[in-house]
Amino acid sequence: MDIRLTNSKTRKKEVFEPIDPQNVRMYVCGPTVYDRAHIGNARPAIVFDLLARLLRHVYGAEHVTYVRNFTDVDDKINARASESGRSIAEITAETTQWYLDDMGAVGVLEPDEMPRATAFIAEMIAMIEELIAKGFAYAKEGHVLFRVREYAAYGRLSGRSVDDMIAGARVEVAPFKEDPMDFVLWKPSEAGVPGWDSPWGRGRPGWHIECSAMSKALLGDVFDIHGGGNDLLFPHHENEIAQSCCANGTEQMARFWLHNEMLQVEGKKMSKSLGNFFTVRDLLDGHDGMPGVPGEVIRFVMLSTHYRKPMDWTAEKAREAGATLRKWYGMVDGVAAGEADGLVAALADDLNSSGAIAELHRMAGAGDVAGLRFGMELLGFLDGGVPDWVAGPQVDLSAYVERMVAARAAAMESKDFSGVDALKQALIAAGVEVRMSKAGVELVPGPGFDAAALEKV
C-alpha cells in the first residue's frame, strides 16, 4: 500500500518511498524539559506516534527506527534551576519522566531512541568544527556562528528569502556577528551555567545544532522523515537543514518534512492570560473544578482533527469522545481483531486520522466489531486493553434522574428552561453524561466522574 504524505519542503502530497524499505527512519523534535508538557505539546507527540504505528504496520516494526529527542541543555532550564535552587540534573531528570508518564497516559509509545542533548556534546563539537573547516561557520569572542549567506538554499523550506527574513523578523544584532541573520552554534557559559570544554572555550551548544548532530549519529546523513510542530519550521528546521547539508556535504537532510498545526482551547489561542492554558497532567487529573479526562479520550479528541488543520480542544468534544469510546470498548471487549482496509487507506492518505475515526464510526454502525477492534488497536486505543474507566463507578443516580425529570416537566409548563440547563451543566461538571430524549432521562457516570462534585449538585 502506498503512503502519501504532504511534504513541507515541496508543499505537495507525495508518495512516500523510503530510502531503504528495510530501514525506515524518522526523527521528530521532542520537548525542552524544564516543566510539565502543556496540551499543545501533546499534539505532535500523538501525531507522530500514529505515523510511527502506520509505518510499522506497513513495513514491519523491525524495519522502522523512530527517534525523538530531549533538549536537556537550555536557558529556560538554567533559569528554572536558578529560581528554584535545585540542580539542573535534578530538574531535567524529573521533567523528562513527567513527559514520558504524561505522553504514555495519552497512548504515545516510547520511540526506539530518545537521545538527550547532553549525551551528544562531542558530536556537536565535531560537526561545528567541520562547518568552520568548510567556511560555513566562524568563531568570534567565544561564540561560533553559522554563515547563513554561504548556504544558497537557506529559506527553501520556509519559502522565504534571507533579505525578507531580516526585514520582517527580529534578529539579534551582536558585535560578534558578521551578518544579522547568522545564528549561534556555540556560546560561552558563565560560572554556574552548564558548560563543556571546546576549541572555543568553555561553553554550550546553540539549540539548532543539537538535532543535526543527534539525527546524524542515530539515523545517518540523510533519512526519510523529519517532523515537528509548524512553529519549528522556521528558524529551527531551516537552520537544521543548513547545518546538516553543509557539514555532511549532502543536498538534503530528510526527504520528507511533516509539520502539524497548532492547538486552540475553546476557540481561542491557549495563553495563561486568558486562563485557558493547562498541562496534560491538568487534564488527566482534573483542574479548576473540572473532572479528570482519561488519556484515551484526550487522544481521541486530538486525532479527530487532521494534523495539518488547527485543532480546537473543547470540553464538549471530550464528553462526546468519552461516550463514543465507552460504547466502542463495550463492543470490542473479548473480540479478536479482523481487518479494516478502509481505515488503513485513510491513514495512508496523509495520515488522515479524522477519516480513520470516521471509519471506526462506520464499522461500529455496521456491527463490524472485528474491524473496529483492529482499527482501535492501530490508532492506539487498546495498548493496555480495555481501560478501567470504561466500567465506570457503581453509583445510584436515580435521585438525580427524578430531579431532572421534574425540572423538565416544570420547564415545559413555564417555558423557562434555565433550571433544566443549570442542573444539566452541574451534572456535566461532575462528570455525569446527561442523555435526554422523548423517552426520558438517562444519567451515566462519565470517564471523569467526580463523586464529591456530584454531592454539591
Side-chain angles (χ1 to χ4, degrees):
M1 172 179 287
D2 284 343
I3 297 175
R4 295 173 63 85
L5 300 171
T6 296
N7 192 345
S8 300
K9 183 169 62 175
T10 62
R11 297 163 187 80
K12 295 178 182 177
K13 189 187 294 188
E14 302 173 1
V15 174
F16 173 67
E17 295 178 351
I19 299 167
D20 177 4
Q22 300 298 307
N23 184 23
V24 183
R25 291 161 287 163
M26 179 170 71
Y27 184 95
V28 173
C29 290
T32 299
V33 283
Y34 68 98
D35 206 345
R36 287 279 186 188
H38 60 70
I39 60 169
N41 301 139
R43 192 175 194 197
I46 292 172
V47 164
F48 291 103
D49 172 75
L50 181 60
L51 179 54
R53 290 171 186 264
L54 175 64
L55 293 172
R56 292 178 184 128
H57 174 73
V58 174
Y59 294 98
E62 68 277 15
H63 301 305
V64 175
T65 302
Y66 173 26
V67 178
R68 187 191 65 213
N69 73 294
F70 285 104
T71 294
D72 60 348
V73 53
D74 182 87
D75 289 346
K76 290 179 181 177
I77 300 171
N78 300 341
R80 182 57 53 89
S82 177
E83 64 192 31
S84 68
R86 302 172 68 201
S87 73
I88 286 168
E90 185 181 1
I91 289 171
T92 57
E94 178 182 63
T95 51
T96 295
Q97 193 58 52
W98 282 352
Y99 182 85
L100 292 174
D101 291 345
D102 292 349
M103 294 307 108
V106 296
V108 174
L109 301 174
E110 292 191 2
D112 301 293
E113 299 279 356
M114 295 186 290
R116 287 158 173 75
T118 51
F120 288 81
I121 300 295
E123 288 83 354
M124 296 178 208
I125 290 173
M127 182 171 276
I128 295 170
E129 288 180 312
E130 185 71 16
L131 289 168
I132 292 174
K134 291 181 174 179
F136 291 108
Y138 57 95
K140 193 171 182 181
E141 298 181 22
H143 294 76
V144 182
L145 295 106
F146 184 89
R147 286 189 175 102
V148 166
R149 293 186 189 273
E150 287 297 313
Y151 180 53
Y154 192 86
R156 193 169 292 170
L157 178 69
S158 56
R160 315 179 192 187
S161 73
V162 174
D163 290 332
D164 287 344
M165 290 183 215
I166 293 176
R170 290 174 293 178
V171 294
E172 180 188 4
V173 178
F176 48 79
K177 281 190 174 187
E178 293 178 354
D179 186 284
M181 282 302 295
D182 294 349
F183 60 86
V184 172
L185 300 173
W186 189 265
K187 54 188 174 182
S189 291
E190 59 273 18
V193 172
W196 290 262
D197 292 333
S198 79
W200 320 286
R202 182 178 179 275
R204 61 196 190 278
W207 174 33
H208 315 298
I209 196 68
E210 298 175 12
C211 292
S212 287
M214 289 187 282
S215 64
K216 175 183 173 71
L218 296 170
L219 298 177
D221 291 355
V222 182
F223 49 94
D224 295 299
I225 299 171
H226 195 315
N230 67 357
D231 58 323
L232 300 180
L233 197 149
F234 181 85
H236 187 50
H237 289 166
E238 195 79 72
N239 291 354
E240 280 188 52
I241 292 172
Q243 297 163 160
S244 294
C245 291
C246 292
N248 301 332
T250 60
E251 292 187 1
Q252 56 185 347
M253 178 187 184
R255 294 188 61 246
F256 279 75
W257 289 81
L258 270 67
H259 294 91
N260 64 274
E261 258 286 359
M262 295 295 99
L263 177 142
Q264 296 179 323
V265 175
E266 303 289 349
K268 297 179 181 179
K269 183 178 179 180
M270 188 169 63
S271 73
K272 292 180 179 177
S273 63
L274 292 176
N276 66 348
F277 180 98
F278 41 85
T279 67
V280 175
R281 183 49 54 182
D282 289 334
L283 270 187
L284 291 167
D285 292 348
H287 65 99
D288 301 320
M290 297 291 288
V293 180
E296 295 85 0
V297 172
I298 296 172
R299 185 180 184 89
F300 188 101
V301 175
M302 292 275 186
L303 293 180
S304 295
T305 300
H306 192 281
Y307 78 93
R308 289 194 300 108
K309 294 182 179 180
M311 196 227 121
D312 188 18
W313 172 273
T314 71
E316 182 60 29
K317 286 181 180 178
R319 284 192 289 271
E320 292 173 355
T324 298
L325 282 172
R326 183 188 298 278
K327 176 182 175 182
W328 289 353
Y329 281 127
M331 293 174 68
V332 303
D333 192 14
V335 175
E339 297 180 353
D341 293 340
L343 181 139
V344 176
L347 292 180
D349 182 15
D350 200 20
L351 204 64
N352 186 359
S353 58
S354 54
I357 287 178
E359 275 295 303
L360 293 180
H361 279 287
R362 186 193 64 76
M363 289 185 288
D368 181 5
V369 291
L372 181 63
R373 173 90 194 196
F374 169 86
M376 292 180 71
E377 289 179 356
L378 183 56
L379 266 64
F381 293 114
L382 281 163
D383 290 343
V386 176
D388 293 340
W389 62 263
V390 171
Q394 299 302 310
V395 56
D396 183 4
L397 296 176
S398 58
Y400 296 95
V401 171
E402 291 175 4
R403 283 176 58 184
M404 179 62 81
V405 169
R408 192 164 71 158
M412 294 294 287
E413 289 288 333
S414 65
K415 306 302 180 186
D416 179 5
F417 287 84
S418 58
V420 174
D421 292 338
L423 180 55
K424 179 180 178 181
Q425 291 306 313
L427 289 166
I428 289 173
V432 177
E433 294 173 13
V434 181
R435 304 170 185 172
M436 292 193 292
S437 66
K438 292 181 179 179
V441 175
E442 183 182 9
L443 302 181
V444 181
F449 177 72
D450 184 346
L454 182 64
E455 292 175 1
K456 300 175 184 177
V457 176

